[in-house]
Amino acid sequence: MVSCVSILGSTGSIGRQSLDIVDHLGIPVAALTAGSRVEQMAQQCRKYRPKLAVMATQEAAEALSALLQDLDMRIAWGEEGLVEAAQIPEADCVITAVVGMVGLKPTLAAIRKGKRIGLANKETLVCAGELVMSEALKYNAQIIPVDSEHSAIFQCLMGAGEKREIKRIILTCSGGPFYGKSKDALSAVKKADALKHPNWSMGAKITIDCATLMNKGLEVIEAMRLYQLPLEQVDVLIHRQSIIHSMVEFVDGAVMAQLGSPDMRLPIQLAMTYPQRMGTPAEPLDLISCGPLTFSQPDMDAFPCLALARACAKAGGTACPVMNGANEEAVALFLKDEIGFYDIYRLVSKAVDSVPFIQDPTLDQILEADRLARLAVN
Ligand code: NAD
Ligand code: MG
């Protein structure tokens, strides 16, 4: 089990559930970071007494300082602050629960200090997965996935043999709030419809990604990077109940699956206790009442983002960071009700076609690709 954590994005959905697990396990917290929610951050700081608290902007950091004048702690802001929180010497584990590409530099910084990463921030692996994984190997930093599908695969592979024994990974997908809807019906959906996920309560950006199935596309790339597998060995299967969190099929035909109630605290806790397992506050799975488990193929026509993500995964290079950056911007526009549901696909697709492609990008080229992708959308 880890001895002290730093939580990047502590006011978000994964961040708050990480703090539930911190309470449950009694692990000290060295650093907390948040975007703009000053009041909530002040409460967390009073409860957990981190040495360092970081806000996204200077303004928010000043507002936090004003609320916490009586506490002996450092308050920082911006990307530099996030990197400082990721490298803080007291923590041996960093939970990356910020949303978006902003997670990349701090994740790399923590890896270079050899810390264990509890990786929720999938955008990091989508944009720069090859670099992140090779740095983790070089600095002997463990990356334990928090994303439920990838944690499931991680668990199916615990104690497994050689990589060549894996035939394929089967990522399960709930299908999101629009499962079964036609293209016509989907053209008119609004942000409020998309924010109603059937099984999980999550941050706004990932909830929209679940509605477009871009989330599953990002997860295909995340799985390829984490488990160093080609695209052909990563399949997606619709499983509406979100009870099987993902599966691994081996060359002899055996299929291992991880089941559990849909509760992110299980994978979050495992990232902190691995290689041990301990009791969690999550509801145990009741196989009698969870209903029949069903499976079907995703509708690639109604949800074109999944095929787009697979095409970008196949192209490699800057295609993935461009797709990701454009998607972040397009989702932000959809969340402001400024564009329609299929405009997300249209804008991301346009950015992928228009931003110049580089096959083996450096970190700077990845960051530049991300910048150009965002420009192409706005
Ligand atoms: P969220 O929106 O609920 O929380 C995001 C956190 O990041 C908040 O604390 C926010 O203040 C902070 N943040 C946002 N922008 C920032 C910025 N520019 N600088 C610094 N901090 C910033 O998101 P979430 O649902 O908790 O998701 C977090 C990450 O975990 C995402 O990458 C998501 O894909 C991944 N994930 C989430 C879930 C889930 O169940 N919520 C499941 C799997 C993976
Ligand atoms: Mg997931």
Side-chain angles (χ1 to χ4, degrees), residues 9-14 34-35 56 82 97-100 102 120-123 147 202-203 206 264:
S10 61
T11 55
S13 161
I14 294 289
L82 270 176
V98 289
V99 56
V102 66
N121 179 258
K122 64 189 78 182
E123 293 88 354
D147 210 346
M202 307 174 286
I206 182 174
M264 290 305 295

Side-chain angles (χ1 to χ4, degrees), residues 106-315:
T107 305
L108 283 171
I111 287 172
R112 289 172 180 152
K113 294 287 177 197
K115 297 187 192 295
R116 175 182 293 190
I117 311 293
L119 191 133
N121 179 258
K122 64 189 78 182
E123 293 88 354
T124 288
L125 282 184
V126 170
C127 295
E130 279 125 346
L131 176 65
V132 167
M133 296 309 289
S134 69
E135 291 290 279
L137 200 64
K138 182 166 159 197
Y139 290 91
N140 206 12
Q142 286 178 311
I143 298 191
I144 317 276
V146 165
D147 210 346
S148 57
E149 296 78 2
H150 305 76
S151 175
I153 295 158
F154 183 82
Q155 293 176 60
C156 293
L157 294 175
M158 274 162 72
E162 310 258 326
K163 201 180 96 186
R164 63 184 156 76
E165 294 175 356
I166 301 174
K167 185 170 176 202
R168 62 177 178 138
I169 279 174
I170 304 165
L171 289 177
T172 52
C173 172
S174 72
F178 300 142
Y179 171 77
K181 283 206 187 312
S182 69
K183 260 187 135 166
D184 271 356
L186 283 176
S187 305
V189 296
K190 289 274 179 250
K191 152 188 156 182
D193 310 305
L195 285 174
K196 289 179 205 141
H197 194 281
N199 305 339
W200 301 96
S201 159
M202 307 174 286
K205 191 259 176 183
I206 182 174
T207 307
I208 302 304
D209 285 345
C210 287
T212 59
L213 294 202
M214 179 59 97
N215 182 54
K216 211 48 57 178
L218 298 174
E219 291 186 352
V220 167
I221 302 166
E222 186 184 7
M224 289 168 65
R225 303 295 179 252
L226 277 170
Y227 302 106
Q228 317 266 309
L229 290 171
L231 180 64
E232 298 70 37
Q233 277 175 274
V234 185
D235 284 339
V236 173
L237 189 66
I238 301 289
H239 165 51
R240 291 292 285 158
Q241 298 79 22
S242 299
I243 297 294
I244 296 184
H245 297 305
S246 278
M247 300 178 249
V248 178
E249 183 178 337
F250 293 91
V251 285
D252 58 0
V255 178
M256 300 285 287
Q258 185 252 326
L259 287 71
S261 349
D263 188 326
M264 290 305 295
R265 291 176 301 179
L266 196 156
I268 292 169
Q269 177 169 302
L270 186 66
M272 295 190 208
T273 62
Y274 176 80
Q276 283 169 280
R277 287 186 184 273
M278 296 168 89
T280 59
E283 279 291 305
L285 174 63
D286 179 354
L287 283 167
I288 303 294
S289 70
C290 73
L293 304 183
T294 59
F295 306 96
S296 60
Q297 292 290 346
D299 180 345
M300 304 296 265
D301 188 43
F303 299 96
C305 284
L306 181 53
L308 177 61
R310 290 193 78 97
C312 290
K314 196 167 176 94

